[in-house]
Amino acid sequence: MSEKNVSEGAALWHGRFDSAPADELMAYTESLSFDKRLWVDDIFGSKAHVTMLISVGIMSKDDGDKVLSALDAVAQEFASNTFVFEASDEDIHTAIERRVTQIAGEPGGRIHTGRSRNDQVATAIRLWCKREVRIVRDFVLALVDTLEARAQEADANNPAIRLPGYTHVQHAQPVLLSHHLRAHAWAMLRDADRLADALERLDVSPLGAGALAGSSLPLNPSVSAQEMGFATTFANSLDAVSDRDFVAEILFDIALLGVHLSRIGEEWVLWTSAEFGFASLDDAYATGSSMLPQKKNADIAELARGKAGRLIGNLTGVLAMLKGLPLAYNRDLQEDKEPLFDSVDQVRRALIALNGMIATAQKHWLRLISQSG
Ligand code: ARG
């Protein structure tokens, strides 16, 4: 290994090694590039940890207050986009700890007392999920509301709008358009239920589990759990640091939600075609072709269909990552974050775009009204 392949700035855990980490090691193992977004959650969890350390007398009130205000200062830096990362920052957790120590001096270093990155990471992801999954659920319910509004509008037409009900893509029986739209709404209410259920199960604080077996210090994990608003505290420390069931569960809920959105998408691609002509998209929610001006494409509906593939992929990727892991923490678990973030981001955008597309689609349902008479 040539000297220039070795980083100057040492990572926090490098104190006991003789040489600095190789650039290749840092480049391959870092997670900062994607876990930066956990800064709010890491700081929130760190403040709860310090409050707990003060409450049980492991940290003096004086030192604790210095660390707490340093954490607030770091939050300010992130909020104002002035936080400066260093080459040795391996992930968001080490970056924040490094900065807290720079600001608070020696007491800052004590923030890690009785805590490992293993319980710290598990805490931050659970906090992130608690916030983000609620938002996804709200967007699901907003789409349900739109479907219901369009259903009521279809029934208010005189006569109520009907469309051919299909089996095997063959005309089967006429059905009310409201009945059809509500069928999708029911599926999405189940999605919202599943997300609420996942939120309940993930509402457990892993903080205090340490690297894998807690600490010999008289920690009180229920103080930090309460401080963070978790419903309860972990029962088994090995499980607490290695459990990513909640990630898999959220990814499943989102994958199934994505499948439902994909089925809606497929129908709207058909419905807006010249052959079906059941609906037409508002210009703001359609794309066109400069070469073929007669075309109005339902790209939102197509992408809702297309992106379901990656939502399913994110779920299967995490399940495959988990299946061979011995207890307790293994670095593999770092691979939970990108699929989780991606699925949450993607499904949020899909819900918002489909909602706008369906809410604004032209109300005349031309062929349907003429068939309804
Ligand atoms: N970035 C890592 C993760 O996301 C941090 C955990 C590292 N822990 C450790 N003991 N090396 O999982």
Side-chain angles (χ1 to χ4, degrees), residues 39 43 86 203 207 218 235 256 265 291 300 316 322 330 335 354:
W39 70 265
I43 291 175
E86 292 183 3
D203 204 4
L207 196 58
L256 186 54
M291 197 176 154
I300 291 175
T316 54
L322 290 172
N330 298 271
E335 288 290 301
L354 276 177

Side-chain angles (χ1 to χ4, degrees), residues 13 29-32 34-35 38 90-94 116-118 121-122 125 211 244 329-337:
W13 41 263
T29 61
E30 67 84 28
S31 55
L32 182 65
F34 51 86
D35 67 18
L38 292 174
E90 191 187 346
D91 57 23
I92 190 63
H93 318 286
T94 49
S116 151
R117 246 188 313 159
N118 299 350
V121 170
I125 317 167
R244 293 294 185 276
Y329 180 85
N330 298 271
R331 192 61 178 265
D332 315 45
L333 288 171
Q334 179 169 291
E335 288 290 301
D336 61 351
K337 282 176 258 325

Side-chain angles (χ1 to χ4, degrees), residues 13 26 47 57 67 76 105 123 129 190-192 203 213 265 278 290 293 299 304 309 324:
W13 41 263
M26 289 300 274
K47 289 182 76 170
V67 179
Q76 266 307 317
T123 304
C129 287
R190 292 193 295 275
D191 291 321
D203 204 4
F278 288 0
S290 50
D299 286 24

